[in-house]
Amino acid sequence: MLATICWKEGSSDVVSLGEGFVAVTELWLRVVHDVKLVRNLLFPEIWLLVQAIDYYALDTNLFKAWFADGYTRNAHLLVKPAELLFPTWRFDHAKGFAKCTRDLAYREVRHITEPNPSNLRQYHLPMAQIQQMNAAKGRLRTILFLGLWEPCQTLFKRRCTCRKATLYDYQAHLVDIGVWPLEKMFGANSINNILDKLTKFSFEAPNTACKHCRQDYKTMIREVISRTQTYFDGLCLDCIDKSKPKTGDVDLDYWMHAKLEASDWSRGCRFVHDEPTWYFSFSGRREDRDRWTRESENFGGYHRSQRLHRRSSSDENEATVNTPEGW
């Protein structure tokens, strides 16, 4: 194995491993040689294993089954979702990564960040994926706000004499159950906290109110809860992977996303998800957006140079050539 990458130990029967935890060294040797594992790693040792994989130029694919087995048996029950972000991403565990990113969007009160229990600071998620988790959480807040505001907006359009009292009573009830004003409540509550409090919503307009003010507020709030709960399925590693476009071409994904069918969003993915998961995962492809920008600039520069060249040639030949200034 080592001989294929020109290690000095490649021609020797003895390999000096140097520093490192014995458990990590034992694990990767057993995995590489397909020998039964004696014990699993402690959770922080996963980062040391990744270091060993990189140092010895091992194939990460060899360790995916080991990680998936550990995740299924106990890892997702023993640690917080944020702590599994890097391991599930590095070992390509699509369902685990989706669950972690979804849980964080719904459970985290403050800005989503990524912990690292080791001192190996080079191991972390791409920055864009942390950004997209926070963007998804922000979108959930917007959906929740718009849903709770909808009854207010309807009441503002009425001209009945009971509309003001109904509007006040509706918002007062939201205040009583601890979800209004929403922006203030988000300072100390996660999306799940707010949704849990909304299950206590029981407002009904008095019988003296007109039929327009006596709309079914409880059904409206149940729909808001359902819409928010089902909006985001987490980030998808397959959608993030630029080699797996939905349309057959990564650039067409960008231009044709509004025309895709509902069944297209998780085409070729390892779990079923809806459009928001695709959108926030696709938007995480910062390298593609940067590439599009560079290519557009280069293409524009090419046309500018061609216009200058044609102008120069036309001046020399005393010909009149009208070169378009735009695209």
Side-chain angles (χ1 to χ4, degrees):
M1 175 188 67
L2 295 177
T4 61
I5 49 177
C6 302
W7 292 99
K8 65 179 181 180
E9 295 93 341
S11 59
S12 173
D13 294 331
V14 177
V15 177
S16 177
L17 297 175
E19 297 182 0
F21 286 96
V22 173
V24 171
T25 303
E26 179 185 355
L27 184 139
W28 73 257
L29 284 172
R30 287 179 179 274
V31 169
V32 167
H33 294 285
D34 196 22
V35 178
K36 183 179 178 180
L37 299 177
V38 176
R39 78 166 182 89
N40 270 313
L41 298 181
L42 298 174
F43 181 70
E45 293 174 335
I46 292 177
W47 276 258
L48 297 174
L49 173 62
V50 172
Q51 183 187 41
I53 291 172
D54 289 346
Y55 183 78
Y56 293 109
L58 305 175
D59 185 357
T60 303
N61 291 323
L62 296 173
F63 299 86
K64 288 182 179 180
W66 163 80
F67 180 83
D69 178 66
Y71 179 90
T72 300
R73 285 188 294 105
N74 53 33
H76 64 300
L77 300 175
L78 298 176
V79 297
K80 299 177 181 179
E83 294 176 333
L84 279 169
L85 284 174
F86 177 75
T88 52
W89 173 78
R90 177 59 190 257
F91 293 103
D92 195 34
H93 196 289
K95 291 183 178 180
F97 187 72
K99 184 179 186 303
C100 292
T101 52
R102 185 189 187 281
D103 286 349
L104 286 168
Y106 281 90
R107 294 183 188 178
E108 190 64 38
V109 176
R110 303 188 184 281
H111 185 82
I112 297 173
T113 57
E114 172 192 4
N116 183 336
S118 75
N119 60 354
L120 303 172
R121 313 318 292 173
Q122 70 270 34
Y123 294 122
H124 54 78
L125 289 182
M127 188 187 308
Q129 292 177 25
I130 295 293
Q131 172 187 317
Q132 291 308 106
M133 275 185 280
N134 283 288
K137 187 177 73 169
R139 179 57 181 162
L140 291 172
R141 290 182 172 186
T142 300
I143 291 172
L144 195 50
F145 172 78
L146 292 176
L148 295 181
W149 181 252
E150 185 177 354
C152 300
Q153 188 172 2
T154 301
L155 290 169
F156 272 120
K157 295 178 181 178
R158 301 300 177 195
R159 291 295 177 263
C160 56
T161 57
C162 52
R163 70 186 187 280
K164 293 182 180 180
T166 305
L167 177 60
Y168 173 84
D169 291 342
Y170 167 74
Q171 294 188 84
H173 184 69
L174 293 179
V175 172
D176 289 342
I177 63 176
V179 301
W180 202 256
L182 196 57
E183 284 303 314
K184 181 179 180 180
M185 295 301 106
F186 276 138
N189 293 274
S190 67
I191 296 292
N192 277 355
N193 292 150
I194 298 294
L195 294 177
D196 183 61
K197 292 181 179 182
L198 281 174
T199 60
K200 302 178 178 67
F201 182 89
S202 60
F203 172 73
E204 292 180 348
N207 293 332
T208 55
C210 69
K211 66 176 183 179
H212 298 297
C213 287
R214 285 186 285 107
Q215 54 188 322
D216 191 349
Y217 296 94
K218 288 189 286 188
T219 296
M220 295 175 73
I221 296 304
R222 283 196 295 267
E223 290 175 352
V224 171
I225 294 173
S226 176
R227 187 159 59 246
T228 307
Q229 285 178 331
T230 59
Y231 178 78
F232 184 53
D233 299 309
L235 295 180
C236 175
L237 289 175
D238 295 312
C239 291
I240 291 173
D241 187 347
K242 62 181 180 180
S243 70
K244 299 179 181 179
K246 301 302 177 191
T247 61
D249 182 270
V250 68
D251 297 310
L252 286 180
D253 275 10
Y254 178 85
W255 296 113
M256 296 183 63
H257 69 272
K259 300 179 181 180
L260 294 177
E261 300 294 333
S263 60
D264 291 332
W265 302 120
S266 56
R267 183 197 305 163
C269 300
R270 284 168 282 178
F271 70 99
V272 178
H273 59 75
D274 290 325
E275 186 268 347
T277 282
W278 171 84
Y279 175 80
F280 288 108
S281 301
F282 181 88
S283 297
R285 300 171 177 175
R286 186 177 298 275
E287 68 277 11
D288 286 325
R289 286 182 289 173
D290 291 344
R291 176 172 59 82
W292 289 327
T293 300
R294 288 195 302 271
E295 290 180 354
S296 297
E297 291 175 349
N298 292 338
F299 194 49
Y302 169 79
H303 276 277
R304 286 191 295 273
S305 65
Q306 291 300 301
R307 290 197 296 268
L308 291 174
H309 174 71
R310 285 195 292 269
R311 285 177 181 171
S312 175
S313 299
S314 64
D315 290 341
E316 292 176 1
N317 298 327
E318 296 183 352
T320 58
V321 179
N322 295 323
T323 306
E325 293 298 325
W327 281 63

